[in-house]
Amino acid sequence: MNRQNEVLKLEIDNLREAGHKFIKKEISVGDFKGISGGMGVYAQRGGQDFMIRFRTNSGLMSLDHLELIKNFTEKYEIEDIHFTTRQAIQLHHLKIDDICDVMETALEHGLYTRGGGGNYPRNVAISPMSGVEKEEIFDVTEFALKISEYFMSRITEYKLPRKLKVSMSSSDKDAAGATINDVGFIAAEENGEPYFRMYLAGGLGNNPGISIPYDKKVDPKEILYYIEAMVDLFVAEGDYANRAKARTRYIPRRMGTVEFLKTYEKHLEKVKLKKNLGLDIEAILSETKKEYSHNLKENLSVVHQRQDGLYTVIIHPLNGQISSADFKKVVKFMKENRNAEARLSMTESIYIRNINEEQTKVLLEITDKFRQKTKIQQSMSCVGIPTCQIGIEQSQTLVKNILEYIQKNNISEEKLPSVYVSGCQNSCGRHQVGDIGFAGGKKRVEDKIEDVFDIYTGGMVSREKTVLGTKLGTMLMSQIPEFIGELGIELEKSHMDYKKYITEEKENFEELVKKYLV
């Protein structure tokens, strides 16, 4: 990796030069993005400040990397840290020279940004509970890290039509979204033999698609062959001319599912003939006990691990934005409790795992004031405007407005679901797979351009049933908090949770939605 680091350092020098040209308006937004995106760096709205996305492999955060992020917040006076919906960390409102200095320091610590954006294989997502989850099939962590290592060894060589996303789930819950990614694996077993179920050519955003199931078992030791075959197919069949249709999900739509799978098989055969990509990793089936002695009750912040007596604490800051001061508290806890490990999730949370009962109590107390505790509080939101350059709406403000309305009007939060909010149709807030999703836009209403959000309902992800949310229409941003408040009241009256309500009281729910559509 030393030689590669030298190459990456040269790229940082080029980025610094391009950044200053961009600020002086000597190069366009598009030209700068073409240089910076593949390095995990983007200009923010206004063109003077920048954001950086760290490639935190599968969300695993070592103590060294946690302290490194903490040190960056202190040195560059960063107020907030953003946990993304792909198990990564973003820092915002930095100057171009600071961005480049941060990249160089991170590189020295083995924390990369290369491939954090642009037309590259992105962070390999995994279930944040992989290795400690009850009823999981087997721990997928080491397999995901091997894929990440393979991607990073070639990261400067890729010339893909668009980004490529890989996910791995350790159980049928599919917490990593294997069924909605370009390449997905879900741990499975038959007669005591572990294997992977594989899914291909799915993805969220414009014209989303559920992944196509691959009908053969995948040997865990051979996953790199299957990854490489998909990369080769993407390069051969992807649309380099039309960026809007350059994701893998458009390939089977063009050639048909049967032909797509035949084409994939041909690429797989070639890869297996030409390359030696076998892994020396054993997939060991996980064991869940029949009885446990956990004393603390499970809730939305506390999970019993399959290891008896150990817990995971889920820390979800509002909108995935944790203040630097609160982040330092978490890092301090990790430093004082070296048995604990930290993992980022797909839901803008950080999971602190492998801690005992007393440590759990301490961490819950430390995080009490900034850890969101109900489903509606644990809603997700992309960064949105005014930070995001391509965003249309204030996604984070919407979530804050919803919570303020509920609290001001003393509406019970007990039965309300989480909402998934994206500032545009790009689905950075994963609005298409949430119980309720909102995607921002603009709409002329009574001769006035209004801030609006499309509403989606019924989205879910699991091996048994992955469903993309149904768009029901468009609501004014200003009226959405009232809609969620009225929904909360209806849920309390019906004594049902949200999922049961929209099924058994479907007509009443649809009437409620229609009341707010424009």
Side-chain angles (χ1 to χ4, degrees):
M1 278 294 202
N2 288 337
R3 184 176 179 183
Q4 187 187 54
N5 282 3
E6 291 175 9
V7 173
L8 296 180
K9 284 182 179 180
L10 289 175
E11 288 187 341
I12 295 171
D13 292 337
N14 293 335
L15 175 66
R16 192 187 300 268
E17 181 181 351
H20 283 290
K21 288 182 178 179
F22 170 72
I23 292 168
K24 295 174 184 176
K25 295 184 170 36
E26 294 175 4
I27 61 175
S28 69
V29 172
D31 287 341
F32 178 70
K33 186 178 179 181
I35 297 168
S36 70
M39 301 178 73
V41 174
Y42 292 93
Q44 295 180 188
R45 190 172 293 246
Q48 296 299 306
D49 289 343
F50 302 81
M51 62 137 284
I52 186 169
R53 180 184 300 137
F54 294 100
R55 194 183 179 97
T56 48
N57 289 340
S58 301
L60 275 69
M61 295 295 299
S62 66
L63 181 58
D64 178 46
H65 288 170
L66 288 168
E67 291 205 276
L68 185 65
I69 299 296
K70 176 189 72 94
N71 293 340
F72 287 149
T73 66
E74 293 173 342
K75 182 175 181 178
Y76 299 102
E77 299 180 347
I78 299 168
E79 294 182 2
D80 297 295
I81 294 165
H82 184 61
F83 298 150
T84 76
T85 54
R86 198 161 186 86
Q87 299 177 302
I89 279 180
Q90 288 180 185
L91 302 180
H92 296 90
H93 307 298
L94 289 162
K95 301 303 179 185
I96 190 62
D97 287 318
D98 295 340
I99 284 282
C100 294
D101 292 344
V102 164
M103 292 175 72
E104 288 180 349
T105 302
L107 200 59
E108 294 168 1
H109 288 259
L111 183 58
Y112 297 90
T113 64
R114 192 65 166 87
N119 304 334
Y120 294 91
R122 299 295 183 83
N123 195 16
V124 179
I126 67 171
S127 310
M129 291 289 289
S130 188
V132 301
E133 181 183 16
K134 288 183 179 179
E135 308 301 335
E136 72 176 358
I137 307 301
F138 60 84
D139 186 356
V140 302
T141 304
E142 291 303 314
F143 296 99
L145 292 177
K146 279 295 182 183
I147 296 172
S148 295
E149 182 183 311
Y150 181 68
F151 281 154
M152 283 307 299
S153 70
R154 308 178 51 202
I155 199 66
T156 57
E157 302 170 14
Y158 287 106
K159 290 180 172 56
L160 305 179
R162 285 287 301 277
K163 58 192 170 187
L164 183 85
K165 294 184 175 181
V166 178
S167 288
M168 309 186 81
S169 291
S170 56
S171 76
D172 287 350
K173 292 179 182 178
D174 193 14
T179 51
I180 50 168
N181 273 262
D182 299 291
V183 186
F185 298 95
I186 298 180
E189 69 89 18
E190 186 174 342
N191 299 323
E193 289 296 321
Y195 69 96
F196 278 115
R197 292 186 172 94
M198 188 172 71
Y199 303 81
L200 299 170
L204 302 181
N206 286 313
N207 299 312
I210 297 171
S211 304
I212 299 167
Y214 182 71
D215 64 0
K216 298 178 183 178
K217 297 177 183 178
V218 174
D219 183 341
K221 293 184 177 182
E222 295 189 344
I223 54 172
L224 289 184
Y225 291 107
Y226 291 84
I227 294 283
E228 187 69 2
M230 190 58 177
V231 170
D232 287 354
L233 185 153
F234 193 23
V235 171
E237 303 292 343
D239 193 336
Y240 284 86
N242 185 352
R243 182 173 175 80
K245 293 187 176 181
R247 294 296 301 276
T248 63
R249 59 183 175 270
Y250 290 95
I251 301 174
R253 294 176 190 179
R254 187 184 73 240
M255 64 170 56
T257 300
V258 173
E259 187 60 31
F260 167 77
L261 291 173
K262 284 182 180 178
T263 303
Y264 177 76
E265 286 285 346
K266 291 176 182 177
H267 283 284
L268 181 61
E269 289 174 11
K270 289 179 182 178
V271 170
K272 285 188 173 182
L273 283 173
K274 292 181 179 180
K275 298 190 177 183
N276 181 15
L277 299 176
L279 296 178
D280 187 21
I281 305 175
E282 291 292 335
I284 301 173
L285 295 177
S286 298
E287 179 184 353
T288 299
K289 299 176 181 294
K290 292 182 179 179
E291 294 183 2
Y292 284 88
S293 60
H294 296 98
N295 292 313
L296 300 179
K297 290 184 178 180
E298 286 191 296
N299 55 44
L300 294 175
S301 296
V302 178
V303 181
H304 296 168
Q305 294 186 186
R306 63 180 179 82
Q307 295 83 4
D308 195 22
L310 295 183
Y311 300 82
T312 291
V313 170
I314 302 172
I315 304 167
H316 182 95
L318 179 61
N319 285 324
Q321 295 279 116
I322 186 169
S323 74
S324 298
D326 290 335
F327 185 73
K328 289 174 189 175
K329 295 174 185 176
V330 176
V331 177
K332 184 174 183 290
F333 174 86
M334 297 293 294
K335 195 170 183 179
E336 293 172 350
N337 299 274
R338 297 298 180 102
N339 58 295
E341 64 177 44
R343 295 197 181 189
L344 303 174
S345 75
M346 303 282 283
T347 55
E348 300 182 324
S349 304
I350 185 168
Y351 285 49
I352 307 302
R353 316 183 341 160
N354 291 335
I355 53 179
N356 62 32
E357 184 176 324
E358 288 307 311
Q359 291 170 322
T360 299
K361 291 177 181 178
V362 169
L363 184 57
L364 290 174
E365 179 64 27
I366 289 170
T367 61
D368 183 65
K369 288 191 169 48
F370 60 89
R371 171 175 41 83
Q372 305 300 297
K373 302 176 181 69
T374 65
K375 285 185 178 180
I376 190 67
Q377 289 176 15
Q378 292 181 350
S379 295
M380 296 198 308
S381 167
C382 67
V383 172
I385 65 170
T387 301
C388 180
Q389 196 169 66
I390 63 173
I392 300 173
E393 280 303 335
Q394 303 174 63
S395 46
Q396 296 201 4
T397 298
L398 176 59
V399 173
K400 291 176 183 177
N401 290 348
I402 289 171
L403 296 179
E404 287 174 5
Y405 182 90
I406 290 169
Q407 290 159 9
K408 182 180 178 180
N409 291 278
N410 296 315
I411 296 168
S412 173
E413 301 180 18
E414 183 182 353
K415 292 180 171 59
L416 280 169
S418 298
V419 298
Y420 289 35
V421 186
S422 301
C424 66
Q425 294 295 330
N426 281 344
S427 203
C428 293
R430 304 180 76 210
H431 62 269
Q432 291 148 329
V433 292
D435 289 328
I436 299 182
F438 292 101
K442 301 286 185 182
K443 184 175 182 178
R444 184 176 294 279
V445 181
E446 296 180 355
D447 296 325
K448 182 181 178 183
I449 300 298
E450 297 279 7
D451 298 322
V452 299
F453 282 82
D454 294 334
I455 177 172
Y456 294 76
T457 62
M460 67 179 73
V461 175
S462 71
R463 184 186 73 80
E464 289 89 351
K465 188 177 183 181
T466 291
V467 179
L468 297 178
T470 300
K471 179 181 171 181
L472 298 183
T474 304
M475 294 181 176
L476 291 174
M477 177 180 175
S478 59
Q479 293 185 357
I480 292 174
E482 183 180 341
F483 160 70
I484 296 294
E486 192 168 347
L487 174 62
I489 293 170
E490 290 300 313
L491 292 175
E492 284 300 308
K493 286 181 181 177
S494 68
H495 303 290
M496 297 180 187
D497 64 21
Y498 170 77
K499 287 186 177 180
K500 186 176 181 181
Y501 180 78
I502 63 173
T503 301
E504 297 187 10
E505 299 288 340
K506 184 178 179 181
E507 289 185 7
N508 289 338
F509 176 68
E510 289 178 349
E511 283 301 313
L512 174 60
V513 171
K514 286 178 184 177
K515 179 179 172 181
Y516 290 91
L517 297 182
V518 294

